[in-house]
């Protein structure tokens, strides 16, 4: 029978994989090795709206929210400014849709990582999806959890709740966590991911000191892998 890796070995694995992301390396191999780390628009949108969201996501990824003007988006997408206003009343509505799209993408990532055996069990795989998202898309994470957008838009709070529920489902499948602690554990790890996202996004252009990143990731990996 194959020997299961010790908890310390599993912690090193998730930590090293996450640190590889910070170095620009893909977090997993195989058919997904070429999967773009640029933010993608939801599949259901088409035409001008899709071009607008895609251009906005690219600017957000490369330059942050300060350069995310409707004019810059129109120029990047190669469309008229009037066309953008046909789909988005103002910049805040556009930012809201980007944030909602981010939660949609994060739910997809949680589902995807749960299919990769080396990231099992489910809670660990889903946590990796979350922290991988934090590291590769800090500007988008910051927008997704923006307190002003959250306070003003119920649709964004609902998008976060749907994503949290996806993570809670993964925790519920993890036999290491007693049933009476699963919901609390899911919320606590979610809050930890939120906190790490906030720390990283607080540094200009996400240039957080590498040694600090390692401390955050090592601690997170240790806590996740020692659960149960």
């Amino acid at each position: 029978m194959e020997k299961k890796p010790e908890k310390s070995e599993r912690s090193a694995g998730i930590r090293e994989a996450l640190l590889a992301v910070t170095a620009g390396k893909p977090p997993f191999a195989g058919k997904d090795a070429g999967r773009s780390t640029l933010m993608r628009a939801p599949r259901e949108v088409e035409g001008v709206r899709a071009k607008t969201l895609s251009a906005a996501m690219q600017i957000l990824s490369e330059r942050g929210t300060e350069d995310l003007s409707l004019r810059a988006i129109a120029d990047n997408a190669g469309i008229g400014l009037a066309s953008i206003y046909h789909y988005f009343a103002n910049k805040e509505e556009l930012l809201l849709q980007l944030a909602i799209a981010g939660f949609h993408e994060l739910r997809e990532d949680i589902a995807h990582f749960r299919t990769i055996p080396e990231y099992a069990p489910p809670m660990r795989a889903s946590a990796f999806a979350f922290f991988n998202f934090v590291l590769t898309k800090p500007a988008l994470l910051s927008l997704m959890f923006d307190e002003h957008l959250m306070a003003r838009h119920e649709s964004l709070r609902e998008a976060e709740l749907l994503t949290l529920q996806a993570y809670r489902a993964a925790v519920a499948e993890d036999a290491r966590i007693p049933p009476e602690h699963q919901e609390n554990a899911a919320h606590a790890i979610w809050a930890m991911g939120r906190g790490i996202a906030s720390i990283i996004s607080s540094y200009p252009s996400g240039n957080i000191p590498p040694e600090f990143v390692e401390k955050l990731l090592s601690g997170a990996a240790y806590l996740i892998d020692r659960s149960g």
Side-chain angles (χ1 to χ4, degrees), residues 7-49:
K7 287 183 177 179
S8 60
E9 293 174 345
R10 294 200 303 269
S11 294
I14 190 171
R15 183 183 70 246
E16 290 166 1
L18 287 168
L19 289 172
V21 174
T22 68
K25 300 175 183 177
F28 43 82
K31 63 183 178 62
D32 295 292
R35 183 174 170 176
S36 174
T37 58
L38 287 177
M39 293 159 279
R40 54 192 183 275
R43 290 190 297 268
E44 65 268 18
V45 297
E46 298 177 355
V48 172
R49 188 171 185 272

Side-chain angles (χ1 to χ4, degrees), residues 123-134:
M123 186 183 79
R124 181 173 181 265
S126 299
F128 182 90
F130 192 3
F131 293 129
N132 174 63
F133 200 96
V134 166

Side-chain angles (χ1 to χ4, degrees), residues 36-39 53-68 72-73 75-77 98 135-141 203-207:
S36 174
T37 58
L38 287 177
M39 293 159 279
L53 288 174
S54 180
M57 286 180 169
Q58 184 173 7
I59 293 172
L60 179 66
S61 174
E62 296 174 353
R63 291 180 272 168
T65 56
E66 292 185 3
D67 291 330
L68 194 61
I73 294 168
D75 292 344
N76 185 285
L98 285 177
L135 290 171
T136 57
K137 305 175 180 71
L140 179 57
L141 253 295
Y203 282 77
S205 303
N207 293 324

Side-chain angles (χ1 to χ4, degrees), residues 69-145:
S69 67
L70 295 183
R71 169 58 64 187
I73 294 168
D75 292 344
N76 185 285
I79 56 181
L81 189 59
S83 298
I84 292 180
Y85 279 112
H86 180 73
Y87 292 94
F88 305 97
N90 49 46
K91 181 179 177 179
E92 178 163 325
E93 184 177 343
L94 177 58
L95 292 176
L96 172 64
Q97 294 306 315
L98 285 177
I100 291 173
F103 279 116
H104 173 86
E105 183 176 347
L106 179 53
R107 289 196 300 275
E108 285 192 333
D109 285 355
I110 288 173
H112 171 75
F113 275 92
R114 289 174 63 183
T115 68
I116 305 176
E118 56 263 41
Y119 294 112
M123 186 183 79
R124 181 173 181 265
S126 299
F128 182 90
F130 192 3
F131 293 129
N132 174 63
F133 200 96
V134 166
L135 290 171
T136 57
K137 305 175 180 71
L140 179 57
L141 253 295
S142 180
L143 178 64
M144 289 159 59
F145 293 123

Side-chain angles (χ1 to χ4, degrees), residues 114 119-128 167 170-174 176-177 185-186 189 223-225 227-228:
R114 289 174 63 183
Y119 294 112
M123 186 183 79
R124 181 173 181 265
S126 299
F128 182 90
Y167 187 70
V171 175
E173 293 180 14
D174 198 314
R176 299 175 302 159
I177 307 296
I189 296 172
L223 293 174
I224 291 166
D225 282 331
S227 297

